[in-house]
Amino acid sequence: MADYSNKLYQQLEAESGVPTGYKRTGSILLAQTQDRLISLRRMVSRLRMKSIPCEIITPRRVGELHPLINIHDLVGAMYVPEDAVVSTADIALALVTAARSKGVQVHEHTAVNHVLVDRGHVSGVDTDRGQIECEYFVNCAGQWAYELGLSNEEPVSIPLHACEHFYLLTRPLRTPLPDNTPTVVDPDGRIYIRSWQGGILSGGFEKNPKPIFTEGRNQLEIQNLQEDWDHFEPLLTALLRRMPSLEALEILRLVNCPESFTPDMRCVMGESPTLLRYFTLAGMNSQGCSLGGGAGKFLAEWMVYGYPQDNVWPLDIKRFGALQSSRTFLRHRVMEVMPLIYDLKVPRWDFQTGRQLRTSPLYDRLDAQGARWMEKHGFERAKYFVPPGKDLLALDQSKTFYKPDWFDIVGSEVKCCKEAVCVIDMSSFTKFEISSPGDQALNTLQYLLSNDVDVPVGHIVHTGMLNERGGYENDCSVVRLQKRSFFIISPTDQQVHCWSWLKQHLPSDSDLFLEDVTWKYTALNLIGPRAMDVLSELSYAPMTPDHFPSLFCKEMSVGYANGIRVMSMTHTGEPGFTLYIPIEYALHVYNEIISVGQKYGIRNAGYYALRSLRIEKFFAFWGQDLDAFTTPLECGREFRVKLDKGHDFIGRDALLRQREEGIFKRFTMFILEDHDTDLDLWPWWGEPIYRNGEHVGKTTSSAYSYTLGKHVCLGFIHSPNPITPEFINRGEYDIEIAGQRFQAKAKLYPFSTLFTQRRRKEDLELGY
């Protein structure tokens, strides 16, 4: 988005006739520590994939580019020569002028009272000057977006909160700074510095931000707030340390203005899940100007074509639910988010505020047994379990780009999954039930899903929920509970998105009943060869494959509890079962499983172990590997598509065309060959993939395979020509981690030496 904005602003003055103050200055991001330099090297790798010129430079080179910068505590920096500065007010005026020239009407000083709604979609806007009929409404109200969303006849939740943001302006230096002086960002000092009218404009993101307007008493229009020199003092100290020559420079003023932030540091964009044609673009996290041009482009495409031209799921408003709109939650979270903008973010860091919001009934029980938690869509999920005697503080606070402290812990959990039995609480998964008096539920699902769900009662079908382009809107498992009743299991962060997709495509005049039952069931994943022994003993029923085949669901008694939905799948490729337990029975069933499982070596495991297992089995997960621009043919899932099931489905025509024309990207597994797990930087995701020395794609997820004893990366290879298995197998591959390339072996299937042909077939059917 920033790259598009840069190119847009560069030509905007010529198009609009309004001076924009565009000056190409370049930017320098400083590193005071080796970890920060690693972070910058990773950033350089990613920017180069986008063909954005950038490089890592020495402290001496920093001094040459910006002579006023103190370089004595630096270890390096990143230089982006094509970055630029603009006047934000002039950019806004230029955009408005260009829009007016194309017939757009702009009404200033006009208050919006609320948005008018007709049968679930936008019909107009009520203002203090009258009503305007419209088909679409875009909430770009910035710090007012939250209140404006709630003012509608049908409220729209837009999770953002304002904080005070400070920057100072100085008078010109004795020798005024040239306009093309590079912008400097010193994230370890929490400040940014740019040239301004021969002087300096400098602000930052302090450790102790000041949220405002929590009680709802927002400004009537944008105004500066009171100066607070005591609060700004740490940033001023950092500025003078970085540019000592400013000590005697006269400060013109300290500006304090409101800026809105979101719960995850990413802007909020897209169509509301509850109100059709109500779009949002807000919560820019102090990057409104740099991201605004690209964000506007994506939103315009979304409204015109029905989808943007790139995957913007990380920005989609549907990644949030109503649970993230509590004012208390937002106030506390933005106090963490604002400092994080400049904090060093290592892989798999977790937010610390707004936690324990959604928990399984087993949370306290698991926490007492050493669970270390992460959060997904507000739901607490165990990462791994710290054995007694470990130094919890050191383990929990250890953040690194290298081999993490939990390596051996997760390894022992993986070993137990393969040799004995483990239990993982997977209650966070999204769960829906859909039913009808007649065949409408079946017919609707046949239209929405690419696989054939007209299967015998009790059978489980893994399937995609595709869009018109054949891309994955959802990746789910569907259980036929009864002839006219189905149970849908989806990824955790699909709760809002999938519900919205289903509601949009259900017939409006039907007798279909759709219910979100996520909260009704606790899900326990019982993984390992001894899982069948544990369940047999608890249910007095045979659980062998002959009696309980793969991808089958049966309601059973487990311990004293009735009505447990037992499913022969684990989402990992390992043998085992997933139990969907009514929440009132959850603690009883868990205790019984742990008690009986002791003789079989049972232990708790977390999502890090599950991640390692699924990646070494080459399983793609939605939201990490799959998205709305990835089709089943591109990720080797043709077997989950039934083009000839006798029922048309969304995306079928696109898949037929793709089958004829060939695929131009392919999901591939890479095993790092010359990577030292103990000494080298680890791959996580987003690393460039090179084939025969040319950039061809990037990784989407990775994990250490304890079975292979090597790192495994999953990612997509792209080519201008149709990709064949021969093309994949002929190439020599490297994965680049923070500027260093490692040889990798490409595979389209898991290693047959590790998994027998029969086992491989079962694995491909077992998880998603």
Side-chain angles (χ1 to χ4, degrees):
M1 291 194 295
D3 188 44
Y4 179 86
S5 298
N6 192 351
K7 293 168 182 172
L8 172 68
Y9 301 158
Q10 195 172 356
Q11 68 189 40
L12 190 57
E13 184 170 333
E15 185 175 340
S16 66
V18 177
T20 60
Y22 183 93
K23 295 280 191 310
R24 178 166 288 177
T25 61
S27 66
I28 307 171
L29 277 75
L30 308 179
Q32 296 183 30
T33 67
Q34 289 298 330
D35 275 348
R36 178 70 69 180
L37 191 59
I38 290 169
S39 176
L40 295 181
R41 290 186 189 279
R42 290 176 61 88
M43 201 181 299
V44 165
S45 291
R46 296 186 183 194
L47 290 177
R48 285 177 175 169
M49 285 192 284
K50 299 282 188 184
S51 300
I52 298 173
C54 58
E55 61 179 322
I56 296 295
I57 60 175
T58 64
R60 177 178 292 181
R61 178 66 176 139
V62 172
E64 293 171 357
L65 291 168
H66 200 310
L68 298 183
I69 294 295
N70 173 16
I71 63 173
H72 294 104
D73 59 347
L74 301 181
V75 296
M78 180 178 80
Y79 179 47
V80 186
E82 293 187 1
D83 272 357
V85 297
V86 294
S87 164
T88 52
D90 291 335
I91 285 289
L93 181 59
L95 288 168
V96 167
T97 302
R100 276 178 164 152
S101 71
K102 297 180 183 298
V104 172
Q105 296 181 39
V106 179
H107 301 276
E108 299 185 69
H109 303 291
T110 304
V112 175
N113 297 323
H114 59 268
V115 175
L116 305 173
V117 178
D118 180 28
R119 290 173 296 193
H121 60 77
V122 168
S123 63
V125 182
D126 183 60
T127 78
D128 61 352
R129 296 187 182 185
Q131 293 186 352
I132 305 170
E133 291 184 5
C134 63
E135 295 180 50
Y136 296 87
F137 178 79
V138 185
N139 184 338
C140 289
Q143 69 189 70
W144 296 275
Y146 179 92
E147 290 88 344
L148 182 57
L150 296 183
S151 71
N152 306 328
E153 295 176 0
E154 294 185 17
V156 172
S157 172
I158 301 171
L160 54 79
H161 196 292
C163 282
E164 298 182 25
H165 178 54
F166 298 86
Y167 61 90
L168 61 78
L169 303 170
T170 75
R171 295 197 182 278
L173 279 74
R174 183 172 300 170
T175 303
L177 278 179
D179 288 343
N180 62 351
T181 303
T183 297
V184 174
V185 178
D186 183 3
D188 296 310
R190 301 191 165 277
I191 56 170
Y192 56 85
I193 309 164
R194 56 164 285 194
S195 170
W196 181 78
Q197 296 183 6
I200 291 293
L201 182 157
S202 179
F205 299 97
E206 62 274 24
K207 287 186 176 181
N208 56 332
K210 299 170 67 175
I212 45 176
F213 312 138
T214 305
E215 301 83 3
R217 294 192 296 273
N218 208 325
Q219 298 173 317
L220 292 178
E221 59 184 34
I222 189 75
Q223 292 176 333
N224 287 338
L225 305 166
Q226 277 190 321
E227 293 183 347
D228 189 339
W229 282 104
D230 289 339
H231 189 79
F232 189 73
E233 191 273 334
L235 300 182
L236 180 59
T237 300
L239 171 63
L240 295 177
R241 187 186 307 119
R242 187 56 56 212
M243 297 181 70
S245 60
L246 299 186
E247 189 81 46
L249 191 62
E250 183 181 352
I251 294 173
L252 191 62
R253 65 179 178 273
L254 178 65
V255 179
N256 177 9
C257 57
E259 187 72 64
S260 56
F261 298 85
T262 64
D264 61 0
M265 290 189 296
R266 298 194 296 265
C267 70
V268 180
M269 177 192 295
E271 187 175 17
S272 163
T274 57
L275 182 56
L276 295 178
R277 301 177 189 168
Y278 187 109
F279 285 80
T280 297
L281 181 51
M284 302 305 290
N285 301 284
S286 200
Q287 300 176 92
C289 189
S290 61
L291 303 184
K297 171 182 178 289
F298 280 143
L299 195 71
E301 292 169 348
W302 210 326
M303 297 170 68
V304 173
Y305 305 122
Y307 56 90
Q309 299 294 304
D310 205 343
N311 174 40
V312 296
W313 168 248
L315 313 177
D316 195 326
I317 190 173
K318 299 182 188 71
R319 73 188 188 272
F320 294 123
L323 58 94
Q324 282 100 353
S325 287
S326 153
R327 291 305 279 172
T328 304
F329 167 83
L330 289 170
R331 180 182 177 88
H332 291 175
R333 175 56 67 83
V334 298
M335 291 175 71
E336 179 182 11
V337 161
M338 192 169 163
L340 276 172
I341 290 174
Y342 279 170
D343 276 356
L344 182 68
K345 290 176 281 295
V346 300
R348 300 189 188 176
W349 56 271
D350 301 296
F351 288 109
Q352 300 302 306
T353 53
R355 299 296 297 270
Q356 300 181 25
L357 188 58
R358 303 173 72 198
T359 62
S360 156
L362 307 177
Y363 177 84
D364 290 338
R365 186 90 162 81
L366 300 178
D367 194 58
Q369 296 178 76
R372 288 295 171 264
W373 301 96
M374 62 181 180
E375 170 257 332
K376 183 87 165 189
H377 200 60
F379 214 113
E380 296 293 330
R381 313 202 303 183
K383 298 186 284 191
Y384 48 81
F385 288 78
V386 180
K390 279 280 186 180
D391 188 344
L392 304 187
L393 189 64
L395 188 66
D396 208 33
Q397 291 187 344
S398 176
K399 297 179 178 180
T400 180
F401 292 102
Y402 292 89
K403 180 180 177 180
D405 283 351
W406 45 256
F407 179 83
D408 292 331
I409 294 175
V410 174
S412 62
E413 292 178 3
V414 168
K415 188 172 188 288
C416 188
C417 286
K418 290 180 173 291
E419 298 178 1
V421 57
C422 276
V423 58
I424 302 179
D425 185 346
M426 299 181 65
S427 303
S428 68
F429 273 28
T430 298
K431 300 171 276 288
F432 298 131
E433 287 184 3
I434 183 169
S435 59
S436 63
D439 291 333
Q440 274 192 315
L442 173 63
N443 292 334
T444 299
L445 290 179
Q446 288 286 66
Y447 176 66
L448 288 173
L449 303 172
S450 60
N451 211 337
D452 189 357
V453 292
D454 191 4
V455 293
V457 171
H459 283 246
I460 304 170
V461 177
H462 292 315
T463 179
M465 194 176 285
L466 309 181
N467 52 41
E468 295 288 352
R469 306 180 305 281
Y472 281 95
E473 292 294 332
N474 186 13
D475 184 39
C476 53
S477 302
V478 178
V479 185
R480 193 167 195 174
L481 299 174
Q482 300 170 10
K483 185 177 181 181
R484 298 182 175 89
S485 178
F486 297 84
F487 187 59
I488 304 173
I489 305 161
S490 299
T492 302
D493 48 7
Q494 273 278 356
Q495 190 165 14
V496 176
H497 177 69
C498 183
W499 177 267
S500 172
W501 185 263
L502 288 169
K503 294 294 282 187
Q504 283 186 43
H505 291 88
L506 294 183
S508 57
D509 57 347
S510 71
D511 294 325
L512 281 169
F513 179 70
L514 175 66
E515 183 182 8
D516 185 342
V517 295
T518 301
W519 63 274
K520 285 188 175 182
Y521 293 94
T522 297
L524 293 181
N525 199 349
L526 211 56
I527 304 173
R530 307 312 298 268
M532 68 176 70
D533 299 311
V534 175
L535 276 185
S536 292
E537 197 166 322
L538 281 171
S539 62
Y540 292 95
M543 302 297 293
T544 62
D546 293 337
H547 297 90
F548 208 115
S550 176
L551 294 177
F552 191 72
C553 173
K554 186 188 297 184
E555 281 206 354
M556 301 174 60
S557 297
V558 178
Y560 296 152
N562 283 320
I564 311 301
R565 293 175 181 171
V566 179
M567 305 181 190
S568 51
M569 65 176 186
T570 64
H571 309 292
T572 64
E574 299 297 327
F577 303 89
T578 303
L579 284 62
Y580 285 87
I581 309 159
I583 56 171
E584 63 266 31
Y585 299 145
L587 195 56
H588 167 77
V589 172
Y590 173 79
N591 288 337
E592 290 293 296
I593 287 173
I594 294 295
S595 177
V596 169
Q598 292 301 313
K599 69 181 78 167
Y600 302 109
I602 198 168
R603 66 178 291 171
N604 293 298
Y607 273 80
Y608 282 10
L610 184 142
R611 181 185 180 91
S612 175
L613 290 167
R614 74 95 177 168
I615 286 178
E616 73 177 19
K617 296 295 177 62
F618 200 16
F619 288 174
F621 268 28
W622 190 91
Q624 297 174 43
D625 310 300
L626 307 180
D627 58 40
F629 291 84
T630 303
T631 73
L633 277 63
E634 294 166 342
C635 59
R637 293 188 170 196
E638 297 90 339
F639 62 95
R640 294 187 184 177
V641 176
K642 297 296 184 287
L643 294 168
D644 56 353
K645 65 180 178 178
H647 202 296
D648 191 24
F649 61 87
I650 299 176
R652 182 175 183 272
D653 291 344
L655 295 184
L656 287 171
R657 283 195 304 273
Q658 192 175 57
R659 191 171 66 173
E660 290 294 317
E661 297 169 359
I663 58 172
F664 297 86
K665 70 174 183 178
R666 183 63 163 85
F667 193 53
T668 310
M669 178 181 187
F670 299 92
I671 295 88
L672 297 191
E673 294 291 301
D674 59 345
H675 183 271
D676 189 318
T677 302
D678 294 320
L679 300 178
D680 289 326
L681 292 167
W682 275 32
W684 298 99
W685 59 83
E687 290 85 12
I689 301 168
Y690 290 88
R691 179 183 184 273
N692 299 340
E694 293 186 4
H695 174 247
V696 291
K698 66 178 179 179
T699 64
T700 52
S701 57
S702 65
Y704 181 80
S705 167
Y706 295 88
T707 308
L708 293 167
K710 295 180 179 181
H711 259 97
V712 177
C713 300
L714 307 182
F716 285 92
I717 291 175
H718 298 255
S719 171
N721 302 309
I723 295 177
T724 62
E726 183 186 7
F727 175 86
I728 300 289
N729 295 329
R730 269 204 329 262
E732 293 185 359
Y733 295 91
D734 296 286
I735 306 294
E736 182 177 299
I737 306 173
Q740 185 177 357
R741 296 188 187 183
F742 296 90
Q743 292 179 5
K745 182 177 290 185
K747 304 283 287 185
L748 290 174
Y749 305 97
F751 274 91
S752 56
T753 53
L754 289 172
F755 318 119
T756 67
Q757 293 296 324
R758 177 187 173 196
R759 177 74 175 280
R760 184 198 301 168
K761 182 176 184 299
E762 291 175 356
D763 287 341
L764 289 171
E765 294 292 333
L766 266 171
Y768 72 95

